[in-house]
Amino acid sequence: DKDFKPAEPDIAIETIKPIEIIEPAIASMERVEKSPVADLPIKLFVQDESRFGLITVLRRRITLKGVKPKAQYQHDFDHSWLYGAVAPATGESFFLELPILNTQCFQIFIDQFSQTFADTLNIITLDNGAFHTTAKLLLPNNVRFVFTPPYTPECNPMERVWLAFKSELADTIFPHLDALFDRLSSIILACLPSEFSSLTSFPFFKAACNAFL
């Protein structure tokens, strides 16, 4: 059984102000007050993407003093991308493997995400990547974005999810990408909503959720 520790961001909590998340969310909501989705229940998600490839993930190991641990290692640059979104309050999640990181693939992800959570108005917190902010992106009616401050990956709780996944993959050699993503799929399916919630429930994000909802 996995034992995920409660999420703790790598920056001082006092530097994160819940209002920085709440105000853009309220502004987004004001734009849809008269739309068909205005009466839908609201869910708050965090979203991000991470690259997973055949280069072996290495982690520290405990050994006797002066004994260097040994591990198999593969240096292969073949990779793909995992797009993901998690609702910290409930632990609900949605993941999709796509070959590259660009606007077209992100559009596919957002479209399928919106269909999966079709009965809610989904507020997504994400970074300022060019493919997130481009005017070419067509947002579904039940999806709204709230962007984190520039250059602050530590503000995105999804980083903790990627760290947990890669720790599960550590020190393993995969012969090809299909084998890697089969293993990754089994890791995702084995994670309970409570584990996803534990990983992503940063104190400042919980405060923002409570204030907004």
Side-chain angles (χ1 to χ4, degrees):
D1 294 338
K2 296 180 292 297
D3 183 18
F4 291 129
K5 297 180 179 179
E8 291 293 342
D10 296 329
I11 58 175
I13 294 300
E14 58 268 18
T15 65
I16 303 300
K17 299 177 180 179
I19 196 66
E20 294 177 359
I21 296 177
I22 298 168
E23 285 183 337
I26 292 175
S28 177
M29 287 299 300
E30 289 174 346
R31 291 194 293 271
V32 297
E33 280 183 347
K34 298 181 180 180
S35 73
V37 299
D39 295 329
L40 293 178
I42 299 170
K43 284 184 181 178
L44 299 184
F45 286 84
V46 292
Q47 191 280 332
D48 198 23
E49 307 85 17
S50 186
R51 180 170 59 184
F52 288 81
L54 298 182
I55 292 180
T56 307
V57 177
L58 297 178
R59 290 290 184 265
R60 294 183 178 181
R61 291 291 182 263
I62 297 176
T63 67
L64 294 174
K65 184 177 180 179
V67 177
K68 186 175 182 179
K70 295 182 179 180
Q72 290 184 317
Y73 181 76
Q74 174 175 262
H75 200 72
D76 189 321
F77 289 102
D78 201 9
H79 67 274
S80 190
W81 291 84
L82 186 64
Y83 292 61
V86 172
T90 63
E92 293 171 280
S93 62
F94 179 79
F95 294 94
L96 186 64
E97 178 200 353
L98 291 164
I100 54 178
L101 189 64
N102 64 9
T103 302
Q104 289 75 21
C105 285
F106 187 59
Q107 184 73 67
I108 293 171
F109 171 81
I110 286 298
D111 289 343
Q112 294 195 24
F113 168 87
S114 70
Q115 294 169 19
T116 301
F117 298 96
D119 297 328
T120 53
L121 177 56
N122 306 294
I123 309 297
I124 301 178
T125 300
L126 68 172
D127 63 38
N128 290 269
F131 48 91
H132 293 160
T133 59
T134 176
K136 296 179 180 179
L137 192 66
L138 301 177
L139 277 187
N141 286 334
N142 66 331
V143 173
R144 294 295 181 272
F145 288 168
V146 176
F147 296 102
T148 56
Y151 310 111
T152 55
E154 64 273 15
C155 291
N156 192 336
M158 279 298 295
E159 298 292 345
R160 230 354 155 49
V161 176
W162 305 139
L163 179 62
F165 287 174
K166 291 179 181 180
S167 293
E168 291 286 332
L169 298 171
D171 301 324
T172 305
I173 302 293
F174 295 97
H176 45 72
L177 282 179
D178 286 345
L180 168 63
F181 276 87
D182 284 347
R183 173 63 180 137
L184 189 54
S185 295
S186 67
I187 293 171
I188 294 171
L189 292 173
C191 283
L192 300 174
S194 59
E195 294 172 331
F196 280 127
S197 182
S198 174
L199 285 168
T200 56
S201 292
F202 285 4
F204 70 85
F205 197 89
K206 289 175 64 177
C209 289
N210 292 336
F212 183 61
L213 298 179

